[in-house]
Amino acid sequence: MDTTIPGNEPTPSVQIDADRLEANITAMASSTRARGVALRPHAKTHKIPEIAALQLAAGAVGLTVATVGEAEVFAGAGVEDIFIAYPLWVDSAKGDRLRRLAAVARITVGVDSAESATALARSLGAAAGEVAVRVELDSGHHRSGVASGDAAGVAVAAAKAGLRVTGAFTFPGHSYAPGMPSTAARDEDKALSQAAAGLRAEGFAAAELSGGSTPSALMGGTATELRPGVYVFGDAQQWELGTIGPDNIALTVAATVVSHHRSTAGEPGHFLLDAGSKILGSDRAAWATGYGRLLEHPEARIVALSEHHATVQWPAGEPLPARGTRLRVVPNHVCLPVNLVDEVQVVRDGAVIDRWAVAARGRNS
Amino acid sequence: MDTTIPGNEPTPSVQIDADRLEANITAMASSTRARGVALRPHAKTHKIPEIAALQLAAGAVGLTVATVGEAEVFAGAGVEDIFIAYPLWVDSAKGDRLRRLAAVARITVGVDSAESATALARSLGAAAGEVAVRVELDSGHHRSGVASGDAAGVAVAAAKAGLRVTGAFTFPGHSYAPGMPSTAARDEDKALSQAAAGLRAEGFAAAELSGGSTPSALMGGTATELRPGVYVFGDAQQWELGTIGPDNIALTVAATVVSHHRSTAGEPGHFLLDAGSKILGSDRAAWATGYGRLLEHPEARIVALSEHHATVQWPAGEPLPARGTRLRVVPNHVCLPVNLVDEVQVVRDGAVIDRWAVAARGRNS
């Protein structure tokens, strides 16, 4: 088993399969191109300029990020078109940072209320027209965003405050559950269409309509732009949702078997891996089978997770892998492990060929 | 509300109340001294050399850590006695690192099998006797560790391999549930007593018996040393378990209200804070009321958490706090947020008086 994991790197460590990464990037670029929609990948998943460069080279129109800090990292790496898809509350300090960003890149931010649009314009001052805004819609995820019927009202308030309104966006996050991707895509279509009609009625020019989660990205028909993030790596959630199979998962956490726990009468044994919540993250959806999956052992279950221990339940009757064995763990939600390490190893043909810094790690604000 | 949170720092950010931190450190030091047991705090909670220095100045005999990487950071900061309370699998690379550590500090590591003891001794080579080992016991948490009756067997194998066995340890992690701390403390007493008897029968000298989680730390009667970690900060789990009240919680995440979600008929409204799983961590015990608590608003519930959003349910009928309001979030499990930021702000008398680097952040291996 040792030989399936390249390098004698200390475990746990994050490894990226370069061939799979490139194939995932190419496939999404081709699919969106074939549908005639723009691709603006969400970079919060990878936080790595080298991966952003691959996405842009494959035809992405720009990047999506979640925070001003992430935008600063990617603009610093030369990305020229960045959408901060978040309902920012912009005070004067953040206004200063946005102004500096707008001097080097095309910057768009989300707004979901007249109040936040007004605060944004006030903090930008004379530069208000240099930052584009899109109105966020709640298409069914019920997190941020306004009802689609209220989008025009927010747009009018934003325009009145001096901002340049270029469209609307939504995150159909309710797609992240079994059987939900197509429902979420329909909800997204409806919300974007209604918002577009409202914007037209108020005299706004042809709107950018941005949508798309990884599960629902290619199911809708209204968005002019899609923002999937997880598709570059895949993860156990996508595997269990049926969106990305184990053969396409590009990011794993290499871990070592450190302890065996004796089976008791009638119960299967378990063993411990040295990867816990401090590298895998502890997200676990209600429908998940565990705290991640083992790439080569889909029958195993990660039944508990501590900070530095994953408890793996092994099929009854099968001998536990020897202590010292290295195994690959597929995290449940891949956006978290990347944010827990400073560096990832890039693997091709069984060897570590490069190391990439997670340059936007921890840029939460 | 803004005035309750010092500084105009961008949110989200981790803030530590210096007075409460010092009081927590002093109280645990006094309690363990009064009971005549050694205190060896678990530094995986804070990962900060400045806090380790306060703990040692208050009388701690040394530190506990979870990984070789954490030990390297604290040894580098001058800590002279470090216990890696983890069932390490030590290959030659890790053996080299342990040898270097043992040259500058007193190093103890955990073992929970003859196999891992043998691998450790082999990797240390001629330096096997320079690293002390303690046998890990499973006292009821059922994660790592051997049954107390098997401890002597592991100790004999370790001694035969050339290692210096100095005692036994256990983590009564099943204390982390309502009503369980006293049960876990009793289980710990029993496991440590049985292991000590076994070690005596095999001719080992007076053993170091190490135990103690934050909930159960002061309830047992057998341990000669306790290793609580969370007590320095407290968190929402300890608050809800009744171990550490809101007046003693020393670490919070400052966050800003960024969005309101309209209430629908009969339902309370909710709002969003800009702190999500990428700064709070996403641990949530089955018995927790939510994904963290608001320090000054115990009646509020954090009902959902995304990477950059906390969804806060506000009591029905009460007006939502205005967008732009800053609030303090108490994370569920404080060991995770510290591991998500590079720096914490130290606050006293309403002002940021210092910034500490989280020097051991991300040292997972």
Side-chain angles (χ1 to χ4, degrees):
Chain A
M1 186 61 60
D2 246 304
T3 57
T4 67
I5 297 180
N8 288 310
E9 308 291 335
T11 60
S13 60
V14 171
Q15 300 191 328
I16 291 177
D17 183 305
D19 290 333
R20 291 183 177 193
L21 172 72
E22 291 169 9
N24 291 342
I25 288 172
T26 303
M28 185 61 82
S30 302
S31 299
T32 49
R33 192 179 300 118
R35 297 171 73 92
V37 295
L39 175 61
R40 185 186 288 279
H42 210 313
K44 73 176 167 60
T45 301
H46 57 72
K47 293 172 170 277
I48 295 173
E50 287 85 345
I51 295 180
L54 293 173
Q55 292 174 316
L56 293 166
V61 298
L63 290 188
T64 306
V65 299
T67 68
V68 175
E70 288 180 347
E72 289 167 337
V73 169
F74 287 105
V79 179
E80 294 172 350
D81 190 330
I82 300 175
F83 173 33
I84 307 173
Y86 191 85
L88 294 178
W89 180 264
V90 177
D91 58 12
S92 64
K94 210 158 260 184
D96 291 343
R97 293 166 67 195
L98 283 175
R99 260 201 307 274
R100 286 195 290 273
L101 275 170
V104 298
R106 178 177 186 265
I107 300 293
T108 305
V109 308
V111 294
D112 77 346
S113 68
E115 290 84 349
S116 59
T118 307
L120 171 62
R122 187 174 56 233
S123 298
L124 288 171
E130 290 166 29
V131 171
V133 300
R134 291 171 170 177
V135 180
E136 182 169 7
L137 313 175
D138 177 6
S139 57
H141 188 36
H142 303 320
R143 190 175 63 181
S144 46
V146 294
S148 50
D150 295 336
V154 174
V156 167
K160 196 171 158 190
L163 297 164
R164 188 158 47 85
V165 180
T166 58
F169 76 106
T170 189
F171 173 61
H174 53 314
S175 66
Y176 278 73
M180 285 301 290
S182 60
T183 302
R186 277 196 304 275
D187 291 344
E188 174 188 295
D189 280 345
K190 191 175 158 196
L192 291 175
S193 302
Q194 288 181 343
L199 291 175
R200 269 196 307 273
E202 291 290 346
F204 290 95
E208 297 165 351
L209 301 175
S210 180
S213 67
T214 289
S216 65
L218 299 169
M219 294 178 170
T222 305
T224 62
E225 171 188 291
L226 297 174
R227 308 187 315 278
V230 170
Y231 77 96
V232 287
F233 296 140
D235 58 21
Q237 287 189 164
Q238 303 296 330
W239 181 0
E240 298 193 346
L241 286 172
T243 318
I244 298 172
D247 292 345
N248 297 107
I249 290 174
L251 183 149
T252 53
V253 174
T256 300
V257 176
V258 295
S259 178
H260 284 180
H261 203 277
R262 282 200 307 199
S263 58
T264 51
E267 287 185 4
H270 73 238
F271 61 88
L272 293 179
L273 291 169
D274 61 358
S277 60
K278 279 183 172 169
I279 192 158
L280 296 173
S282 39
D283 274 10
R284 182 185 172 168
W287 43 265
T289 62
Y291 293 90
R293 298 288 290 263
L294 298 191
L295 186 61
E296 285 92 1
H297 300 277
E299 70 289 4
R301 290 289 174 270
I302 301 180
V303 296
L305 202 67
S306 313
E307 288 163 63
H308 297 280
H309 310 72
T311 302
V312 181
Q313 196 78 62
W314 206 236
E318 289 190 25
L320 302 184
R323 294 175 189 83
T325 303
R326 292 180 175 216
L327 297 170
R328 275 190 250 250
V329 183
V330 181
N332 269 347
H333 180 193
V334 77
C335 300
L336 301 185
V338 171
N339 190 45
L340 288 161
V341 295
D342 291 321
E343 179 183 278
V344 297
Q345 299 161 17
V346 187
V347 174
R348 199 187 307 266
D349 295 335
V352 175
I353 57 164
D354 206 350
R355 290 163 198 278
W356 290 336
V358 186
R361 195 205 64 70
R363 297 300 300 261
N364 279 308
S365 63
Chain B
M1 187 60 62
D2 248 301
T3 57
T4 67
I5 297 180
N8 287 311
E9 306 291 336
T11 61
S13 59
V14 172
Q15 299 190 329
I16 292 178
D17 183 303
D19 290 334
R20 292 183 176 192
L21 172 73
E22 290 168 12
N24 291 341
I25 288 172
T26 303
M28 185 62 82
S30 301
S31 299
T32 49
R33 193 178 300 117
R35 296 171 74 90
V37 295
L39 174 62
R40 185 186 290 277
H42 209 313
K44 74 176 166 61
T45 301
H46 57 73
K47 293 174 169 277
I48 295 173
E50 286 87 345
I51 296 180
L54 293 173
Q55 292 174 317
L56 293 165
V61 298
L63 290 187
T64 306
V65 298
T67 68
V68 175
E70 288 180 347
E72 288 167 339
V73 169
F74 287 106
V79 179
E80 294 172 349
D81 190 330
I82 300 174
F83 173 33
I84 307 173
Y86 191 86
L88 294 177
W89 181 263
V90 178
D91 58 13
S92 64
K94 209 158 261 183
D96 290 344
R97 293 166 66 195
L98 283 175
R99 259 201 308 274
R100 286 195 291 272
L101 275 170
V104 298
R106 180 178 183 263
I107 300 294
T108 306
V109 308
V111 294
D112 77 346
S113 67
E115 289 85 347
S116 58
T118 307
L120 170 63
R122 188 175 55 233
S123 299
L124 288 171
E130 290 166 31
V131 171
V133 300
R134 291 171 170 176
V135 180
E136 182 170 6
L137 313 175
D138 176 5
S139 57
H141 187 36
H142 302 320
R143 190 175 63 181
S144 47
V146 294
S148 50
D150 295 336
V154 174
V156 167
K160 198 171 155 189
L163 298 164
R164 189 159 46 86
V165 179
T166 58
F169 76 107
T170 189
F171 173 62
H174 53 315
S175 65
Y176 277 72
M180 285 301 290
S182 61
T183 302
R186 278 196 302 276
D187 290 345
E188 173 187 297
D189 281 345
K190 191 174 158 194
L192 290 174
S193 302
Q194 289 181 339
L199 291 175
R200 270 196 306 275
E202 290 290 347
F204 289 95
E208 297 164 351
L209 301 174
S210 181
S213 65
T214 289
S216 65
L218 299 169
M219 295 178 169
T222 305
T224 62
E225 171 189 291
L226 297 174
R227 307 186 315 278
V230 170
Y231 78 96
V232 287
F233 296 140
D235 58 21
Q237 285 188 166
Q238 303 296 330
W239 183 358
E240 299 194 345
L241 285 172
T243 318
I244 298 173
D247 294 345
N248 296 108
I249 290 174
L251 183 148
T252 53
V253 174
T256 300
V257 177
V258 294
S259 177
H260 284 180
H261 203 277
R262 283 200 306 201
S263 59
T264 49
E267 286 187 5
H270 72 239
F271 61 88
L272 293 180
L273 291 169
D274 62 357
S277 59
K278 279 183 171 168
I279 192 159
L280 296 172
S282 38
D283 274 9
R284 181 182 173 169
W287 42 265
T289 62
Y291 292 92
R293 297 289 289 265
L294 297 191
L295 186 61
E296 286 91 1
H297 300 277
E299 70 288 4
R301 291 289 173 271
I302 302 180
V303 295
L305 202 66
S306 312
E307 286 162 64
H308 298 280
H309 310 71
T311 302
V312 182
Q313 196 79 62
W314 206 235
E318 290 191 25
L320 303 184
R323 295 176 188 83
T325 304
R326 291 180 174 217
L327 297 171
R328 275 190 250 251
V329 185
V330 182
N332 268 348
H333 179 194
V334 77
C335 301
L336 301 186
V338 172
N339 190 46
L340 287 161
V341 295
D342 290 322
E343 180 184 277
V344 298
Q345 298 161 16
V346 187
V347 174
R348 198 188 307 265
D349 296 333
V352 175
I353 57 164
D354 206 351
R355 291 164 196 277
W356 289 337
V358 186
R361 194 204 63 70
R363 299 298 301 261
N364 279 307
S365 62

